[in-house]
mmCIF file of all heavy atoms in Angstrom:
data_model
loop_
_atom_site.group_PDB
_atom_site.id
_atom_site.type_symbol
_atom_site.label_atom_id
_atom_site.label_comp_id
_atom_site.label_asym_id
_atom_site.label_seq_id
_atom_site.Cartn_x
_atom_site.Cartn_y
_atom_site.Cartn_z
ATOM 1 N N LYS A 73 84.759 25.612 42.814
ATOM 2 C CA LYS A 73 83.980 24.430 43.216
ATOM 3 C C LYS A 73 84.933 23.322 43.600
ATOM 4 O O LYS A 73 85.975 23.148 42.988
ATOM 5 C CB LYS A 73 83.116 23.934 42.029
ATOM 6 C CG LYS A 73 81.786 24.605 41.896
ATOM 7 C CD LYS A 73 80.934 23.912 40.877
ATOM 8 C CE LYS A 73 79.596 24.639 40.719
ATOM 9 N NZ LYS A 73 78.810 24.115 39.591
ATOM 10 N N SER A 74 84.542 22.558 44.632
ATOM 11 C CA SER A 74 85.328 21.399 45.028
ATOM 12 C C SER A 74 85.009 20.249 44.091
ATOM 13 O O SER A 74 84.013 20.270 43.371
ATOM 14 C CB SER A 74 84.978 21.005 46.464
ATOM 15 O OG SER A 74 83.628 20.581 46.497
ATOM 16 N N PHE A 75 85.830 19.192 44.157
ATOM 17 C CA PHE A 75 85.562 18.020 43.327
ATOM 18 C C PHE A 75 84.195 17.416 43.687
ATOM 19 O O PHE A 75 83.449 17.002 42.806
ATOM 20 C CB PHE A 75 86.661 16.960 43.465
ATOM 21 C CG PHE A 75 86.408 15.785 42.590
ATOM 22 C CD1 PHE A 75 86.558 15.877 41.218
ATOM 23 C CD2 PHE A 75 85.973 14.579 43.123
ATOM 24 C CE1 PHE A 75 86.291 14.796 40.373
ATOM 25 C CE2 PHE A 75 85.700 13.501 42.295
ATOM 26 C CZ PHE A 75 85.866 13.604 40.927
ATOM 27 N N GLU A 76 83.861 17.395 44.965
ATOM 28 C CA GLU A 76 82.572 16.820 45.404
ATOM 29 C C GLU A 76 81.416 17.526 44.696
ATOM 30 O O GLU A 76 80.412 16.897 44.355
ATOM 31 C CB GLU A 76 82.402 16.951 46.923
ATOM 32 C CG GLU A 76 83.181 15.914 47.737
ATOM 33 C CD GLU A 76 84.687 16.065 47.591
ATOM 34 O OE1 GLU A 76 85.166 17.220 47.450
ATOM 35 O OE2 GLU A 76 85.379 15.038 47.579
ATOM 36 N N ARG A 77 81.552 18.813 44.438
ATOM 37 C CA ARG A 77 80.437 19.560 43.826
ATOM 38 C C ARG A 77 80.358 19.382 42.320
ATOM 39 O O ARG A 77 79.370 19.819 41.713
ATOM 40 C CB ARG A 77 80.557 21.046 44.206
ATOM 41 C CG ARG A 77 80.236 21.251 45.692
ATOM 42 C CD ARG A 77 80.037 22.701 46.019
ATOM 43 N NE ARG A 77 79.003 23.323 45.211
ATOM 44 C CZ ARG A 77 79.012 24.619 44.863
ATOM 45 N NH1 ARG A 77 80.006 25.400 45.236
ATOM 46 N NH2 ARG A 77 78.037 25.115 44.149
ATOM 47 N N ILE A 78 81.357 18.746 41.720
ATOM 48 C CA ILE A 78 81.215 18.485 40.272
ATOM 49 C C ILE A 78 80.938 17.005 39.995
ATOM 50 O O ILE A 78 80.864 16.572 38.863
ATOM 51 C CB ILE A 78 82.427 18.981 39.461
ATOM 52 C CG1 ILE A 78 83.689 18.181 39.753
ATOM 53 C CG2 ILE A 78 82.664 20.478 39.681
ATOM 54 C CD1 ILE A 78 84.835 18.480 38.767
ATOM 55 N N MET A 79 80.780 16.217 41.076
ATOM 56 C CA MET A 79 80.422 14.813 40.878
ATOM 57 C C MET A 79 78.993 14.732 40.355
ATOM 58 O O MET A 79 78.119 15.518 40.767
ATOM 59 C CB MET A 79 80.525 14.045 42.192
ATOM 60 C CG MET A 79 81.980 13.842 42.627
ATOM 61 S SD MET A 79 82.068 13.179 44.286
ATOM 62 C CE MET A 79 81.916 11.420 43.927
ATOM 63 N N ILE A 80 78.753 13.792 39.444
ATOM 64 C CA ILE A 80 77.409 13.656 38.855
ATOM 65 C C ILE A 80 76.407 13.260 39.943
ATOM 66 O O ILE A 80 75.275 13.766 39.980
ATOM 67 C CB ILE A 80 77.434 12.631 37.693
ATOM 68 C CG1 ILE A 80 78.152 13.309 36.502
ATOM 69 C CG2 ILE A 80 76.040 12.175 37.287
ATOM 70 C CD1 ILE A 80 78.390 12.438 35.302
ATOM 71 N N ARG A 81 76.837 12.395 40.861
ATOM 72 C CA ARG A 81 76.033 12.051 42.031
ATOM 73 C C ARG A 81 76.990 11.816 43.210
ATOM 74 O O ARG A 81 78.129 11.404 42.969
ATOM 75 C CB ARG A 81 75.241 10.753 41.806
ATOM 76 C CG ARG A 81 74.074 10.858 40.827
ATOM 77 C CD ARG A 81 72.910 11.680 41.373
ATOM 78 N NE ARG A 81 71.748 11.681 40.490
ATOM 79 C CZ ARG A 81 71.600 12.456 39.412
ATOM 80 N NH1 ARG A 81 72.557 13.313 39.073
ATOM 81 N NH2 ARG A 81 70.512 12.390 38.668
ATOM 82 N N PRO A 82 76.532 12.051 44.443
ATOM 83 C CA PRO A 82 77.407 11.746 45.578
ATOM 84 C C PRO A 82 77.759 10.258 45.626
ATOM 85 O O PRO A 82 76.994 9.433 45.100
ATOM 86 C CB PRO A 82 76.576 12.131 46.801
ATOM 87 C CG PRO A 82 75.326 12.738 46.295
ATOM 88 C CD PRO A 82 75.211 12.513 44.826
ATOM 89 N N ALA A 83 78.863 9.939 46.263
ATOM 90 C CA ALA A 83 79.358 8.548 46.280
ATOM 91 C C ALA A 83 78.282 7.561 46.760
ATOM 92 O O ALA A 83 78.128 6.468 46.219
ATOM 93 C CB ALA A 83 80.603 8.454 47.160
ATOM 94 N N ALA A 84 77.499 7.964 47.777
ATOM 95 C CA ALA A 84 76.522 7.045 48.373
ATOM 96 C C ALA A 84 75.423 6.667 47.385
ATOM 97 O O ALA A 84 74.812 5.614 47.482
ATOM 98 C CB ALA A 84 75.898 7.682 49.614
ATOM 99 N N PHE A 85 75.149 7.571 46.411
ATOM 100 C CA PHE A 85 74.057 7.330 45.463
ATOM 101 C C PHE A 85 74.215 5.975 44.778
ATOM 102 O O PHE A 85 73.252 5.223 44.645
ATOM 103 C CB PHE A 85 74.058 8.449 44.407
ATOM 104 C CG PHE A 85 73.087 8.233 43.274
ATOM 105 C CD1 PHE A 85 71.789 8.730 43.363
ATOM 106 C CD2 PHE A 85 73.466 7.542 42.130
ATOM 107 C CE1 PHE A 85 70.898 8.542 42.311
ATOM 108 C CE2 PHE A 85 72.576 7.332 41.083
ATOM 109 C CZ PHE A 85 71.284 7.847 41.185
ATOM 110 N N TRP A 86 75.460 5.663 44.332
ATOM 111 C CA TRP A 86 75.657 4.466 43.505
ATOM 112 C C TRP A 86 75.404 3.196 44.321
ATOM 113 O O TRP A 86 74.779 2.240 43.824
ATOM 114 C CB TRP A 86 77.069 4.479 42.916
ATOM 115 C CG TRP A 86 77.347 5.777 42.210
ATOM 116 C CD1 TRP A 86 78.120 6.807 42.672
ATOM 117 C CD2 TRP A 86 76.839 6.215 40.937
ATOM 118 N NE1 TRP A 86 78.116 7.855 41.761
ATOM 119 C CE2 TRP A 86 77.345 7.510 40.698
ATOM 120 C CE3 TRP A 86 76.009 5.637 39.967
ATOM 121 C CZ2 TRP A 86 77.048 8.244 39.554
ATOM 122 C CZ3 TRP A 86 75.715 6.358 38.826
ATOM 123 C CH2 TRP A 86 76.225 7.646 38.627
ATOM 124 N N SER A 87 75.867 3.182 45.576
ATOM 125 C CA SER A 87 75.671 1.982 46.384
ATOM 126 C C SER A 87 74.205 1.870 46.792
ATOM 127 O O SER A 87 73.653 0.769 46.814
ATOM 128 C CB SER A 87 76.586 1.964 47.585
ATOM 129 O OG SER A 87 76.508 3.175 48.280
ATOM 130 N N GLU A 88 73.563 3.002 47.097
ATOM 131 C CA GLU A 88 72.148 2.941 47.487
ATOM 132 C C GLU A 88 71.285 2.354 46.363
ATOM 133 O O GLU A 88 70.299 1.702 46.614
ATOM 134 C CB GLU A 88 71.640 4.359 47.827
ATOM 135 C CG GLU A 88 72.104 4.856 49.203
ATOM 136 C CD GLU A 88 71.937 6.366 49.358
ATOM 137 O OE1 GLU A 88 71.413 7.020 48.444
ATOM 138 O OE2 GLU A 88 72.359 6.853 50.414
ATOM 139 N N ARG A 89 71.678 2.626 45.119
ATOM 140 C CA ARG A 89 70.900 2.098 43.968
ATOM 141 C C ARG A 89 71.450 0.785 43.446
ATOM 142 O O ARG A 89 71.075 0.329 42.373
ATOM 143 C CB ARG A 89 70.842 3.113 42.858
ATOM 144 C CG ARG A 89 69.940 4.259 43.337
ATOM 145 C CD ARG A 89 69.650 5.285 42.831
ATOM 146 N NE ARG A 89 68.770 6.304 43.331
ATOM 147 C CZ ARG A 89 68.916 7.019 44.436
ATOM 148 N NH1 ARG A 89 69.856 6.782 45.282
ATOM 149 N NH2 ARG A 89 68.089 7.979 44.714
ATOM 150 N N GLU A 90 72.377 0.237 44.224
ATOM 151 C CA GLU A 90 72.971 -1.054 43.858
ATOM 152 C C GLU A 90 73.571 -1.039 42.448
ATOM 153 O O GLU A 90 73.338 -1.946 41.663
ATOM 154 C CB GLU A 90 71.962 -2.183 44.038
ATOM 155 C CG GLU A 90 71.525 -2.323 45.491
ATOM 156 C CD GLU A 90 70.632 -3.522 45.750
ATOM 157 O OE1 GLU A 90 70.542 -4.379 44.877
ATOM 158 O OE2 GLU A 90 70.044 -3.563 46.818
ATOM 159 N N ILE A 91 74.307 0.022 42.168
ATOM 160 C CA ILE A 91 75.068 0.114 40.912
ATOM 161 C C ILE A 91 76.518 -0.171 41.302
ATOM 162 O O ILE A 91 77.113 0.565 42.089
ATOM 163 C CB ILE A 91 74.900 1.518 40.280
ATOM 164 C CG1 ILE A 91 73.430 1.758 39.897
ATOM 165 C CG2 ILE A 91 75.831 1.645 39.064
ATOM 166 C CD1 ILE A 91 73.094 3.197 39.588
ATOM 167 N N THR A 92 77.049 -1.256 40.771
ATOM 168 C CA THR A 92 78.424 -1.640 41.096
ATOM 169 C C THR A 92 79.403 -0.759 40.337
ATOM 170 O O THR A 92 79.355 -0.699 39.097
ATOM 171 C CB THR A 92 78.668 -3.113 40.731
ATOM 172 O OG1 THR A 92 77.714 -3.912 41.439
ATOM 173 C CG2 THR A 92 80.071 -3.560 41.106
ATOM 174 N N MET A 93 80.264 -0.044 41.072
ATOM 175 C CA MET A 93 81.205 0.860 40.423
ATOM 176 C C MET A 93 82.565 0.182 40.331
ATOM 177 O O MET A 93 83.169 -0.156 41.361
ATOM 178 C CB MET A 93 81.343 2.157 41.248
ATOM 179 C CG MET A 93 80.037 2.868 41.491
ATOM 180 S SD MET A 93 79.193 3.362 39.986
ATOM 181 C CE MET A 93 80.210 4.680 39.396
ATOM 182 N N LEU A 94 83.019 -0.019 39.138
ATOM 183 C CA LEU A 94 84.348 -0.618 38.932
ATOM 184 C C LEU A 94 85.239 0.485 38.353
ATOM 185 O O LEU A 94 85.394 0.622 37.129
ATOM 186 C CB LEU A 94 84.262 -1.824 38.001
ATOM 187 C CG LEU A 94 83.381 -2.974 38.504
ATOM 188 C CD1 LEU A 94 83.260 -4.060 37.450
ATOM 189 C CD2 LEU A 94 83.922 -3.550 39.800
ATOM 190 N N THR A 95 85.784 1.323 39.241
ATOM 191 C CA THR A 95 86.638 2.425 38.776
ATOM 192 C C THR A 95 88.080 1.957 38.656
ATOM 193 O O THR A 95 88.472 0.953 39.270
ATOM 194 C CB THR A 95 86.547 3.620 39.744
ATOM 195 O OG1 THR A 95 86.844 3.152 41.059
ATOM 196 C CG2 THR A 95 85.187 4.256 39.747
ATOM 197 N N GLY A 96 88.842 2.666 37.852
ATOM 198 C CA GLY A 96 90.255 2.310 37.674
ATOM 199 C C GLY A 96 90.425 1.013 36.909
ATOM 200 O O GLY A 96 91.469 0.366 37.001
ATOM 201 N N ARG A 97 89.396 0.620 36.146
ATOM 202 C CA ARG A 97 89.479 -0.647 35.378
ATOM 203 C C ARG A 97 89.289 -0.315 33.902
ATOM 204 O O ARG A 97 88.258 0.263 33.502
ATOM 205 C CB ARG A 97 88.374 -1.615 35.809
ATOM 206 C CG ARG A 97 88.299 -1.923 37.289
ATOM 207 C CD ARG A 97 89.506 -2.688 37.820
ATOM 208 N NE ARG A 97 89.776 -3.956 37.187
ATOM 209 C CZ ARG A 97 89.233 -5.123 37.535
ATOM 210 N NH1 ARG A 97 88.332 -5.168 38.495
ATOM 211 N NH2 ARG A 97 89.582 -6.245 36.906
ATOM 212 N N ARG A 98 90.259 -0.657 33.099
ATOM 213 C CA ARG A 98 90.189 -0.378 31.658
ATOM 214 C C ARG A 98 89.783 -1.645 30.905
ATOM 215 O O ARG A 98 90.420 -2.705 31.069
ATOM 216 C CB ARG A 98 91.525 0.139 31.141
ATOM 217 C CG ARG A 98 91.478 0.502 29.673
ATOM 218 C CD ARG A 98 92.692 1.315 29.215
ATOM 219 N NE ARG A 98 92.539 1.678 27.810
ATOM 220 C CZ ARG A 98 91.772 2.662 27.365
ATOM 221 N NH1 ARG A 98 91.103 3.417 28.202
ATOM 222 N NH2 ARG A 98 91.666 2.910 26.076
ATOM 223 N N VAL A 99 88.767 -1.556 30.091
ATOM 224 C CA VAL A 99 88.344 -2.696 29.250
ATOM 225 C C VAL A 99 89.206 -2.710 28.014
ATOM 226 O O VAL A 99 89.366 -1.700 27.329
ATOM 227 C CB VAL A 99 86.850 -2.574 28.890
ATOM 228 C CG1 VAL A 99 86.471 -3.615 27.821
ATOM 229 C CG2 VAL A 99 85.992 -2.735 30.132
ATOM 230 N N VAL A 100 89.812 -3.867 27.736
ATOM 231 C CA VAL A 100 90.694 -3.960 26.569
ATOM 232 C C VAL A 100 90.155 -4.931 25.504
ATOM 233 O O VAL A 100 90.667 -4.979 24.401
ATOM 234 C CB VAL A 100 92.126 -4.392 26.972
ATOM 235 C CG1 VAL A 100 92.840 -3.279 27.701
ATOM 236 C CG2 VAL A 100 92.133 -5.661 27.811
ATOM 237 N N MET A 101 89.119 -5.685 25.841
ATOM 238 C CA MET A 101 88.590 -6.614 24.857
ATOM 239 C C MET A 101 87.116 -6.894 25.151
ATOM 240 O O MET A 101 86.719 -7.001 26.310
ATOM 241 C CB MET A 101 89.383 -7.917 24.890
ATOM 242 C CG MET A 101 89.154 -8.780 23.656
ATOM 243 S SD MET A 101 89.865 -10.428 23.890
ATOM 244 C CE MET A 101 88.723 -11.145 25.047
ATOM 245 N N VAL A 102 86.345 -7.022 24.074
ATOM 246 C CA VAL A 102 84.945 -7.423 24.212
ATOM 247 C C VAL A 102 84.796 -8.724 23.420
ATOM 248 O O VAL A 102 85.203 -8.802 22.265
ATOM 249 C CB VAL A 102 83.985 -6.355 23.620
ATOM 250 C CG1 VAL A 102 82.541 -6.843 23.696
ATOM 251 C CG2 VAL A 102 84.157 -5.015 24.322
ATOM 252 N N ASP A 103 84.231 -9.739 24.065
ATOM 253 C CA ASP A 103 83.938 -10.989 23.382
ATOM 254 C C ASP A 103 82.421 -11.096 23.251
ATOM 255 O O ASP A 103 81.734 -11.459 24.220
ATOM 256 C CB ASP A 103 84.507 -12.168 24.189
ATOM 257 C CG ASP A 103 84.289 -13.501 23.472
ATOM 258 O OD1 ASP A 103 83.348 -13.590 22.660
ATOM 259 O OD2 ASP A 103 85.059 -14.430 23.742
ATOM 260 N N PRO A 104 81.884 -10.742 22.086
ATOM 261 C CA PRO A 104 80.421 -10.722 21.934
ATOM 262 C C PRO A 104 79.810 -12.119 21.889
ATOM 263 O O PRO A 104 78.598 -12.262 22.077
ATOM 264 C CB PRO A 104 80.210 -9.975 20.600
ATOM 265 C CG PRO A 104 81.500 -10.124 19.862
ATOM 266 C CD PRO A 104 82.593 -10.336 20.865
ATOM 267 N N THR A 105 80.609 -13.134 21.662
ATOM 268 C CA THR A 105 80.072 -14.506 21.640
ATOM 269 C C THR A 105 79.836 -14.996 23.060
ATOM 270 O O THR A 105 78.752 -15.470 23.412
ATOM 271 C CB THR A 105 81.044 -15.455 20.894
ATOM 272 O OG1 THR A 105 81.315 -14.881 19.612
ATOM 273 C CG2 THR A 105 80.447 -16.830 20.712
ATOM 274 N N ASP A 106 80.872 -14.842 23.881
ATOM 275 C CA ASP A 106 80.757 -15.234 25.304
ATOM 276 C C ASP A 106 80.067 -14.175 26.149
ATOM 277 O O ASP A 106 79.751 -14.396 27.315
ATOM 278 C CB ASP A 106 82.147 -15.483 25.897
ATOM 279 C CG ASP A 106 82.687 -16.839 25.529
ATOM 280 O OD1 ASP A 106 81.901 -17.628 24.967
ATOM 281 O OD2 ASP A 106 83.895 -17.073 25.767
ATOM 282 N N LYS A 107 79.884 -12.974 25.550
ATOM 283 C CA LYS A 107 79.296 -11.835 26.265
ATOM 284 C C LYS A 107 80.131 -11.513 27.530
ATOM 285 O O LYS A 107 79.612 -11.526 28.649
ATOM 286 C CB LYS A 107 77.832 -12.073 26.606
ATOM 287 C CG LYS A 107 76.922 -12.071 25.368
ATOM 288 C CD LYS A 107 75.467 -12.000 25.775
ATOM 289 C CE LYS A 107 74.679 -11.171 24.805
ATOM 290 N NZ LYS A 107 73.346 -10.844 25.231
ATOM 291 N N THR A 108 81.394 -11.266 27.302
ATOM 292 C CA THR A 108 82.273 -10.850 28.392
ATOM 293 C C THR A 108 83.132 -9.671 27.929
ATOM 294 O O THR A 108 83.379 -9.488 26.733
ATOM 295 C CB THR A 108 83.235 -11.982 28.837
ATOM 296 O OG1 THR A 108 83.954 -12.451 27.691
ATOM 297 C CG2 THR A 108 82.507 -13.132 29.512
ATOM 298 N N VAL A 109 83.570 -8.888 28.926
ATOM 299 C CA VAL A 109 84.600 -7.880 28.660
ATOM 300 C C VAL A 109 85.821 -8.279 29.498
ATOM 301 O O VAL A 109 85.683 -8.835 30.591
ATOM 302 C CB VAL A 109 84.140 -6.437 29.021
ATOM 303 C CG1 VAL A 109 83.002 -6.004 28.134
ATOM 304 C CG2 VAL A 109 83.768 -6.311 30.492
ATOM 305 N N ALA A 110 87.013 -7.995 28.949
ATOM 306 C CA ALA A 110 88.257 -8.318 29.659
ATOM 307 C C ALA A 110 88.927 -7.020 30.081
ATOM 308 O O ALA A 110 88.869 -6.010 29.374
ATOM 309 C CB ALA A 110 89.188 -9.128 28.763
ATOM 310 N N PHE A 111 89.564 -7.055 31.256
ATOM 311 C CA PHE A 111 90.220 -5.866 31.816
ATOM 312 C C PHE A 111 91.713 -5.893 31.566
ATOM 313 O O PHE A 111 92.343 -6.958 31.536
ATOM 314 C CB PHE A 111 89.962 -5.794 33.327
ATOM 315 C CG PHE A 111 88.507 -5.682 33.671
ATOM 316 C CD1 PHE A 111 87.849 -6.704 34.323
ATOM 317 C CD2 PHE A 111 87.787 -4.531 33.336
ATOM 318 C CE1 PHE A 111 86.498 -6.605 34.633
ATOM 319 C CE2 PHE A 111 86.443 -4.418 33.655
ATOM 320 C CZ PHE A 111 85.795 -5.467 34.303
ATOM 321 N N ALA A 112 92.290 -4.677 31.482
ATOM 322 C CA ALA A 112 93.745 -4.545 31.275
ATOM 323 C C ALA A 112 94.525 -5.181 32.413
ATOM 324 O O ALA A 112 95.608 -5.717 32.200
ATOM 325 C CB ALA A 112 94.110 -3.077 31.148
ATOM 326 N N ASP A 113 93.975 -5.096 33.636
ATOM 327 C CA ASP A 113 94.705 -5.640 34.792
ATOM 328 C C ASP A 113 94.311 -7.089 35.102
ATOM 329 O O ASP A 113 94.562 -7.583 36.186
ATOM 330 C CB ASP A 113 94.496 -4.737 36.027
ATOM 331 C CG ASP A 113 93.018 -4.593 36.371
ATOM 332 O OD1 ASP A 113 92.174 -5.196 35.661
ATOM 333 O OD2 ASP A 113 92.709 -3.904 37.362
ATOM 334 N N GLY A 114 93.701 -7.751 34.116
ATOM 335 C CA GLY A 114 93.327 -9.158 34.290
ATOM 336 C C GLY A 114 91.879 -9.310 34.725
ATOM 337 O O GLY A 114 91.268 -8.385 35.226
ATOM 338 N N GLY A 115 91.342 -10.471 34.513
ATOM 339 C CA GLY A 115 89.959 -10.731 34.893
ATOM 340 C C GLY A 115 88.977 -10.330 33.811
ATOM 341 O O GLY A 115 89.346 -9.646 32.840
ATOM 342 N N SER A 116 87.756 -10.763 33.955
ATOM 343 C CA SER A 116 86.734 -10.438 32.977
ATOM 344 C C SER A 116 85.385 -10.337 33.690
ATOM 345 O O SER A 116 85.254 -10.722 34.857
ATOM 346 C CB SER A 116 86.692 -11.503 31.876
ATOM 347 O OG SER A 116 86.380 -12.758 32.443
ATOM 348 N N LEU A 117 84.437 -9.836 32.971
ATOM 349 C CA LEU A 117 83.102 -9.607 33.521
ATOM 350 C C LEU A 117 82.085 -9.953 32.443
ATOM 351 O O LEU A 117 82.191 -9.479 31.317
ATOM 352 C CB LEU A 117 82.979 -8.133 33.932
ATOM 353 C CG LEU A 117 81.642 -7.607 34.444
ATOM 354 C CD1 LEU A 117 81.309 -8.284 35.780
ATOM 355 C CD2 LEU A 117 81.719 -6.104 34.628
#
Side-chain angles (χ1 to χ4, degrees):
K73 274 189 182 171
S74 64
F75 182 72
E76 282 64 35
R77 289 193 56 211
I78 68 169
M79 289 171 85
I80 288 175
R81 289 289 186 279
F85 173 91
W86 308 104
S87 51
E88 284 164 3
R89 289 177 179 63
E90 298 186 14
I91 297 166
T92 302
M93 303 301 288
L94 300 175
T95 54
R97 306 293 303 273
R98 183 167 183 78
V99 170
V100 289
M101 196 190 72
V102 177
D103 183 335
T105 307
D106 281 350
K107 291 193 143 191
T108 55
V109 295
F111 299 113
D113 58 0
S116 61
L117 176 66

